[in-house]
Amino acid sequence: MTPPVSPVRRSIHGVMLGIIVLDTGFRRLPGDIAHADTWPFPVQFRILRGVRPRDVIEGDPRESLGAFRQAIDDLVALGCSAITTSCGFLAAVQDELTRHSPVPFLSSALLQIPMVARILPAGRVPGLIVSDPTALGDRHFHGVGATRGLPMAALPADGSLLRNMREQAAAVDPAAQEADVMLTVADLLARHAEVGALVFECANLPPYSAAVSRRFGLPVFDIVTLTSWLHLSLRPREWPDDQPR
Protein backbone atom coordinates (compact mmCIF):
# COMPACT_ATOMS: atom_id res chain seq x y z
CA MET A 1 0.00 0.00 0.00
CA THR A 2 1.27 3.44 -0.90
CA PRO A 3 1.95 5.48 2.25
CA PRO A 4 -0.12 8.65 2.63
CA VAL A 5 1.50 11.84 1.38
CA SER A 6 2.46 14.15 4.22
CA PRO A 7 0.86 17.59 3.95
CA VAL A 8 3.19 20.42 2.98
CA ARG A 9 3.84 22.77 5.87
CA ARG A 10 3.08 26.37 4.87
CA SER A 11 2.74 29.70 6.58
CA ILE A 12 0.25 31.06 4.00
CA HIS A 13 -2.74 29.14 2.60
CA GLY A 14 -5.24 29.46 -0.24
CA VAL A 15 -4.94 29.88 -4.00
CA MET A 16 -2.40 32.65 -4.50
CA LEU A 17 -0.56 33.85 -7.62
CA GLY A 18 3.14 34.68 -7.38
CA ILE A 19 4.47 37.60 -9.43
CA ILE A 20 8.20 37.99 -10.05
CA VAL A 21 8.93 41.69 -10.52
CA LEU A 22 12.15 42.99 -12.05
CA ASP A 23 14.20 45.59 -10.18
CA THR A 24 12.47 48.85 -11.14
CA GLY A 25 11.43 52.10 -9.50
CA PHE A 26 9.03 53.75 -11.95
CA ARG A 27 5.44 54.58 -11.02
CA ARG A 28 2.98 51.81 -11.82
CA LEU A 29 -0.72 52.39 -12.38
CA PRO A 30 -3.75 50.21 -11.62
CA GLY A 31 -3.78 47.56 -14.33
CA ASP A 32 0.00 47.21 -14.29
CA ILE A 33 1.12 43.74 -13.27
CA ALA A 34 2.97 45.12 -10.23
CA HIS A 35 0.13 47.28 -8.89
CA ALA A 36 -1.70 45.46 -6.11
CA ASP A 37 -5.09 46.93 -7.09
CA THR A 38 -4.88 45.19 -10.46
CA TRP A 39 -5.72 41.84 -8.94
CA PRO A 40 -9.13 40.78 -7.57
CA PHE A 41 -7.50 37.72 -6.00
CA PRO A 42 -4.52 37.23 -3.66
CA VAL A 43 -1.04 37.72 -5.14
CA GLN A 44 2.43 37.58 -3.67
CA PHE A 45 5.13 39.82 -5.18
CA ARG A 46 8.80 38.86 -5.28
CA ILE A 47 11.20 41.61 -6.41
CA LEU A 48 14.28 40.34 -8.19
CA ARG A 49 16.87 42.77 -6.86
CA GLY A 50 19.73 43.38 -9.26
CA VAL A 51 17.88 42.09 -12.34
CA ARG A 52 16.66 45.05 -14.37
CA PRO A 53 14.53 45.18 -17.52
CA ARG A 54 17.54 45.91 -19.72
CA ASP A 55 19.22 42.77 -18.38
CA VAL A 56 16.53 40.57 -19.90
CA ILE A 57 15.61 42.72 -22.93
CA GLU A 58 18.95 43.97 -24.21
CA GLY A 59 20.96 41.27 -22.43
CA ASP A 60 20.61 37.50 -22.14
CA PRO A 61 17.98 36.44 -19.57
CA ARG A 62 19.68 33.06 -19.30
CA GLU A 63 22.39 34.78 -17.26
CA SER A 64 19.75 35.47 -14.59
CA LEU A 65 18.20 32.01 -14.52
CA GLY A 66 19.60 31.32 -11.07
CA ALA A 67 17.85 34.35 -9.62
CA PHE A 68 14.55 33.42 -11.29
CA ARG A 69 14.77 29.84 -10.07
CA GLN A 70 15.36 31.03 -6.52
CA ALA A 71 12.38 33.40 -6.79
CA ILE A 72 10.21 30.53 -7.99
CA ASP A 73 11.36 28.38 -5.08
CA ASP A 74 10.61 31.16 -2.60
CA LEU A 75 7.11 31.78 -3.99
CA VAL A 76 6.27 28.07 -4.07
CA ALA A 77 7.48 27.71 -0.48
CA LEU A 78 5.10 30.51 0.51
CA GLY A 79 2.23 28.58 -1.04
CA CYS A 80 1.77 30.14 -4.50
CA SER A 81 -0.31 28.00 -6.83
CA ALA A 82 1.08 29.54 -10.03
CA ILE A 83 3.69 32.15 -10.98
CA THR A 84 4.08 34.85 -13.60
CA THR A 85 6.53 37.67 -14.31
CA SER A 86 6.63 41.39 -15.07
CA CYS A 87 8.45 41.32 -18.44
CA GLY A 88 7.18 39.91 -21.72
CA PHE A 89 10.73 39.31 -22.96
CA LEU A 90 11.10 36.47 -20.47
CA ALA A 91 9.34 34.38 -23.13
CA ALA A 92 12.92 33.51 -24.11
CA VAL A 93 13.29 31.37 -20.95
CA GLN A 94 9.77 29.96 -20.69
CA ASP A 95 10.99 26.40 -21.25
CA GLU A 96 13.87 26.62 -18.77
CA LEU A 97 11.72 28.06 -16.00
CA THR A 98 8.76 25.76 -16.66
CA ARG A 99 11.10 22.80 -16.26
CA HIS A 100 12.16 24.17 -12.88
CA SER A 101 8.79 25.29 -11.51
CA PRO A 102 6.59 22.74 -9.75
CA VAL A 103 3.55 24.98 -10.36
CA PRO A 104 2.23 26.51 -13.62
CA PHE A 105 4.55 29.27 -14.85
CA LEU A 106 3.68 32.11 -17.23
CA SER A 107 6.67 34.03 -18.55
CA SER A 108 4.94 36.40 -20.94
CA ALA A 109 1.68 37.67 -22.40
CA LEU A 110 3.07 36.44 -25.72
CA LEU A 111 2.05 32.91 -24.68
CA GLN A 112 -1.42 33.85 -25.93
CA ILE A 113 -0.32 34.30 -29.56
CA PRO A 114 -0.98 30.71 -30.76
CA MET A 115 -4.45 30.62 -29.20
CA VAL A 116 -5.42 34.04 -30.51
CA ALA A 117 -4.22 33.09 -33.98
CA ARG A 118 -6.43 29.99 -33.94
CA ILE A 119 -9.64 31.68 -32.80
CA LEU A 120 -9.71 34.66 -35.16
CA PRO A 121 -11.85 34.65 -38.31
CA ALA A 122 -10.27 33.60 -41.58
CA GLY A 123 -7.96 36.27 -42.93
CA ARG A 124 -7.43 37.88 -39.53
CA VAL A 125 -4.22 37.68 -37.50
CA PRO A 126 -2.97 38.89 -34.12
CA GLY A 127 -1.09 42.18 -34.04
CA LEU A 128 1.69 42.67 -31.51
CA ILE A 129 2.39 45.83 -29.51
CA VAL A 130 5.92 45.62 -28.12
CA SER A 131 8.36 47.80 -26.24
CA ASP A 132 11.51 46.94 -28.24
CA PRO A 133 11.07 45.14 -31.57
CA THR A 134 14.82 45.01 -32.25
CA ALA A 135 15.29 42.82 -29.17
CA LEU A 136 12.39 40.46 -29.96
CA GLY A 137 13.83 37.46 -31.77
CA ASP A 138 13.44 33.80 -32.60
CA ARG A 139 14.10 32.63 -29.04
CA HIS A 140 11.11 34.62 -27.75
CA PHE A 141 8.69 33.27 -30.35
CA HIS A 142 10.05 29.75 -29.91
CA GLY A 143 9.52 30.06 -26.15
CA VAL A 144 5.78 30.65 -26.60
CA GLY A 145 5.23 28.25 -29.51
CA ALA A 146 4.66 31.00 -32.08
CA THR A 147 6.27 31.89 -35.38
CA ARG A 148 7.66 35.22 -36.48
CA GLY A 149 6.13 37.42 -39.16
CA LEU A 150 3.06 38.77 -37.39
CA PRO A 151 2.24 42.47 -37.74
CA MET A 152 4.03 44.41 -35.03
CA ALA A 153 4.34 47.99 -33.81
CA ALA A 154 6.66 49.44 -31.21
CA LEU A 155 5.97 52.01 -28.55
CA PRO A 156 7.75 55.29 -29.39
CA ALA A 157 11.28 55.13 -27.97
CA ASP A 158 11.15 58.84 -27.13
CA GLY A 159 7.58 58.74 -25.83
CA SER A 160 6.38 59.38 -22.32
CA LEU A 161 5.79 55.75 -21.35
CA LEU A 162 9.16 54.27 -22.25
CA ARG A 163 11.01 57.38 -21.09
CA ASN A 164 9.35 57.17 -17.68
CA MET A 165 10.32 53.52 -17.43
CA ARG A 166 13.93 54.17 -18.45
CA GLU A 167 14.28 57.10 -16.06
CA GLN A 168 12.49 55.35 -13.18
CA ALA A 169 10.00 58.22 -12.95
CA ALA A 170 8.31 58.45 -9.56
CA ALA A 171 5.43 60.49 -11.04
CA VAL A 172 3.88 60.00 -14.48
CA ASP A 173 1.18 61.49 -16.69
CA PRO A 174 -1.29 58.65 -17.37
CA ALA A 175 -2.91 60.53 -20.27
CA ALA A 176 0.43 61.05 -21.99
CA GLN A 177 1.32 57.40 -21.55
CA GLU A 178 -2.06 56.33 -22.91
CA ALA A 179 -1.52 58.59 -25.92
CA ASP A 180 1.69 56.68 -26.70
CA VAL A 181 -0.22 53.40 -26.71
CA MET A 182 -3.07 54.79 -28.83
CA LEU A 183 -0.63 56.18 -31.38
CA THR A 184 1.18 52.87 -31.60
CA VAL A 185 -2.02 50.88 -32.11
CA ALA A 186 -3.33 53.35 -34.70
CA ASP A 187 -0.07 53.05 -36.63
CA LEU A 188 -0.24 49.25 -36.59
CA LEU A 189 -3.83 49.14 -37.81
CA ALA A 190 -3.16 51.72 -40.53
CA ARG A 191 -0.46 49.46 -41.93
CA HIS A 192 -2.17 46.11 -41.33
CA ALA A 193 -5.90 45.93 -41.95
CA GLU A 194 -5.72 42.16 -41.36
CA VAL A 195 -5.18 42.58 -37.61
CA GLY A 196 -8.16 41.12 -35.76
CA ALA A 197 -6.89 41.24 -32.18
CA LEU A 198 -4.03 42.76 -30.22
CA VAL A 199 -1.47 41.10 -27.99
CA PHE A 200 0.42 43.44 -25.64
CA GLU A 201 3.91 42.12 -24.95
CA CYS A 202 4.74 44.66 -22.26
CA ALA A 203 3.33 43.95 -18.78
CA ASN A 204 3.02 47.71 -18.17
CA LEU A 205 0.39 48.18 -20.91
CA PRO A 206 -2.78 46.68 -19.36
CA PRO A 207 -3.79 50.03 -17.78
CA TYR A 208 -4.64 51.09 -21.35
CA SER A 209 -6.20 47.86 -22.66
CA ALA A 210 -9.81 48.91 -22.02
CA ALA A 211 -9.35 52.28 -23.73
CA VAL A 212 -7.69 50.64 -26.72
CA SER A 213 -10.46 48.06 -27.06
CA ARG A 214 -13.16 50.75 -26.89
CA ARG A 215 -11.50 52.99 -29.45
CA PHE A 216 -10.49 50.37 -32.00
CA GLY A 217 -13.15 47.71 -31.40
CA LEU A 218 -10.69 44.84 -31.05
CA PRO A 219 -10.04 42.20 -28.40
CA VAL A 220 -6.93 42.94 -26.36
CA PHE A 221 -4.87 40.19 -24.78
CA ASP A 222 -2.29 41.15 -22.17
CA ILE A 223 -0.61 39.73 -19.08
CA VAL A 224 -3.74 40.43 -17.00
CA THR A 225 -6.01 38.42 -19.32
CA LEU A 226 -3.50 35.56 -19.26
CA THR A 227 -3.00 35.54 -15.50
CA SER A 228 -6.73 35.87 -14.84
CA TRP A 229 -7.38 32.91 -17.13
CA LEU A 230 -4.91 30.80 -15.17
CA HIS A 231 -6.36 31.85 -11.83
CA LEU A 232 -9.86 30.92 -12.98
CA SER A 233 -8.59 27.41 -13.74
CA LEU A 234 -7.16 27.12 -10.24
CA ARG A 235 -10.26 28.50 -8.54
CA PRO A 236 -13.23 27.66 -10.81
CA ARG A 237 -16.46 29.47 -10.07
CA GLU A 238 -19.06 27.75 -7.96
CA TRP A 239 -22.48 27.57 -9.62
CA PRO A 240 -25.81 27.48 -7.79
CA ASP A 241 -28.02 24.43 -8.03
CA ASP A 242 -30.97 25.39 -10.27
CA GLN A 243 -33.09 22.43 -9.26
CA PRO A 244 -36.40 23.39 -7.60
CA ARG A 245 -36.55 22.76 -3.90
Side-chain angles (χ1 to χ4, degrees):
M1 178 181 295
T2 303
V5 177
S6 299
V8 176
R9 295 183 181 274
R10 292 176 175 171
S11 298
I12 303 172
H13 296 80
V15 174
M16 177 174 60
L17 268 292
I19 302 175
I20 300 174
V21 182
L22 299 183
D23 196 349
T24 62
F26 56 83
R27 178 63 184 269
R28 295 174 183 267
L29 304 176
D32 186 291
I33 191 169
H35 194 294
D37 287 345
T38 297
W39 306 107
F41 44 77
V43 299
Q44 177 70 44
F45 295 105
R46 171 66 152 78
I47 301 173
L48 220 56
R49 297 298 184 192
V51 182
R52 301 153 299 180
R54 66 173 178 265
D55 297 324
V56 301
I57 297 176
E58 301 168 18
D60 186 347
R62 290 172 294 188
E63 295 178 0
S64 301
L65 280 174
F68 281 101
R69 288 172 177 142
Q70 184 60 58
I72 289 171
D73 292 345
D74 292 345
L75 290 168
V76 170
L78 277 174
C80 289
S81 305
I83 297 170
T84 187
T85 79
S86 68
C87 182
F89 278 83
L90 288 167
V93 288
Q94 171 73 32
D95 291 342
E96 290 91 333
L97 295 179
T98 301
R99 284 194 292 269
H100 178 79
S101 179
V103 299
F105 178 81
L106 304 172
S107 65
S108 171
L110 297 178
L111 284 161
Q112 296 166 107
I113 293 174
M115 180 189 68
V116 176
R118 293 298 294 268
I119 66 175
L120 290 177
R124 296 285 183 169
V125 299
L128 310 183
I129 303 298
V130 304
S131 58
D132 186 350
T134 62
L136 196 63
D138 290 337
R139 60 183 180 172
H140 303 95
F141 288 98
H142 175 76
V144 300
T147 57
R148 300 190 69 170
L150 290 172
M152 183 187 308
L155 295 167
D158 59 347
S160 176
L161 180 53
L162 291 188
R163 183 174 63 252
N164 288 335
M165 293 165 66
R166 284 194 306 270
E167 298 176 357
Q168 305 296 309
V172 303
D173 180 349
Q177 295 192 157
E178 181 178 305
D180 285 353
V181 181
M182 292 294 191
L183 181 65
T184 304
V185 173
D187 171 67
L188 176 68
L189 298 180
R191 293 184 288 110
H192 294 281
E194 72 274 23
V195 168
L198 298 166
V199 179
F200 287 173
E201 165 269 319
C202 181
N204 310 113
L205 294 185
Y208 317 106
S209 294
V212 166
S213 183
R214 283 195 304 269
R215 176 170 172 182
F216 297 101
L218 293 176
V220 177
F221 297 86
D222 56 32
I223 192 62
V224 174
T225 64
L226 180 61
T227 305
S228 299
W229 163 83
L230 180 57
H231 181 268
L232 186 59
S233 75
L234 298 169
R235 182 60 64 83
R237 288 180 59 185
E238 298 282 352
W239 302 103
D241 184 355
D242 67 349
Q243 297 300 315
R245 296 184 184 278

